[in-house]
Amino acid sequence: MGNGCFQVLSQVRELLSVPSYVEEEASHLLADPRISELRSCYQRVAISLLVASRKLGVPLSTDEVVIALGIKKSDLLKALWKWKKTGGEFKEISDEEWIPQIAQKFGLPPVCERRAREISSSLRLRGNLDAKKRALISCYISGLEQGISPRIGALKRGDRLWLLRFAGFGHARKRPIG
């Protein structure tokens, strides 16, 4: 495999700002024979980073990894399927794990986290949002309920744009008068 994948892993870890202990775990996974069966170095790095972050409880989405590595999401999902097929474990992140991280980025107090969990559980019953989006909108609403304007500028661009569109601040369609 060479050192190329380890260098890519180190660069992506810095780009995504994940802790160094995730990189250490991902390095161990890169040596796993099940991961070495994957075709490209970028797929191996993506899978090892995702599996390590989920195992250690660090929220990291597949979209973030896809963007950081510049690979297709379909390639990542195929590699993830192969990983699971060979007996590898992959833990899905729940909105309960996203809420503390998003609340911290928004600059919200702990009381908002509790309310965000309540909002998120009600959204889980009503909609088809994924866990991260449920956590984003829940934290946003809980901050507004407490009279706090959440700092959405601390979010990554894609999350910030989605939240603004969801909240109704996106581009309005021109409607005919009358």
Side-chain angles (χ1 to χ4, degrees):
M1 176 169 39
N3 287 337
C5 289
F6 292 105
Q7 291 174 344
V8 170
L9 174 63
S10 181
Q11 292 169 350
V12 171
R13 183 199 67 84
E14 289 178 21
L15 183 65
L16 293 173
S17 302
V18 293
S20 60
Y21 59 88
V22 173
E23 181 181 11
E24 290 174 19
E25 181 66 27
S27 296
H28 294 299
L29 286 170
L30 275 176
D32 190 316
R34 293 177 291 183
I35 286 188
S36 62
E37 291 178 8
L38 296 174
R39 186 176 298 162
S40 80
C41 178
Y42 291 110
Q43 286 179 339
R44 291 191 293 265
V45 168
I47 294 301
S48 64
L49 194 58
L50 274 174
V51 170
S53 67
R54 302 286 173 90
K55 180 179 177 182
L56 297 170
V58 176
L60 186 65
S61 71
T62 54
D63 292 334
E64 292 171 320
V65 173
V66 165
I67 291 169
L69 284 167
I71 61 175
K72 294 179 186 174
K73 190 167 186 174
S74 61
D75 291 342
L76 175 64
L77 295 176
K78 286 177 192 173
L80 188 58
W81 178 80
K82 287 179 184 178
W83 168 255
K84 288 180 179 180
K85 183 180 171 188
T86 60
E89 293 182 24
F90 185 71
K91 177 184 164 195
E92 296 295 330
I93 297 179
S94 70
D95 46 351
E96 296 291 324
E97 294 170 308
W98 281 113
I99 286 174
Q101 180 185 6
I102 293 170
Q104 181 182 12
K105 285 184 181 182
F106 279 165
L108 301 176
V111 70
C112 290
E113 280 188 43
R114 282 192 301 273
R115 180 65 180 134
R117 283 186 175 84
E118 294 170 5
I119 294 169
S120 180
S121 66
S122 68
L123 287 174
R124 194 176 307 128
L125 299 173
R126 298 194 62 204
N128 58 354
L129 298 172
D130 68 3
K132 185 175 185 181
K133 290 180 179 176
R134 264 195 317 270
L136 278 168
I137 197 66
S138 299
C139 288
Y140 184 75
I141 291 170
S142 70
L144 293 177
E145 286 180 347
Q146 294 294 321
I148 300 169
S149 180
R151 294 186 319 238
I152 61 171
L155 295 174
K156 293 187 177 170
R157 185 176 187 270
D159 294 336
R160 186 173 58 242
L161 291 174
W162 178 86
L163 182 61
L164 289 173
R165 275 190 229 113
F166 187 85
F169 297 115
H171 295 287
R173 293 185 183 151
K174 294 183 180 179
R175 296 185 186 125
I177 299 174

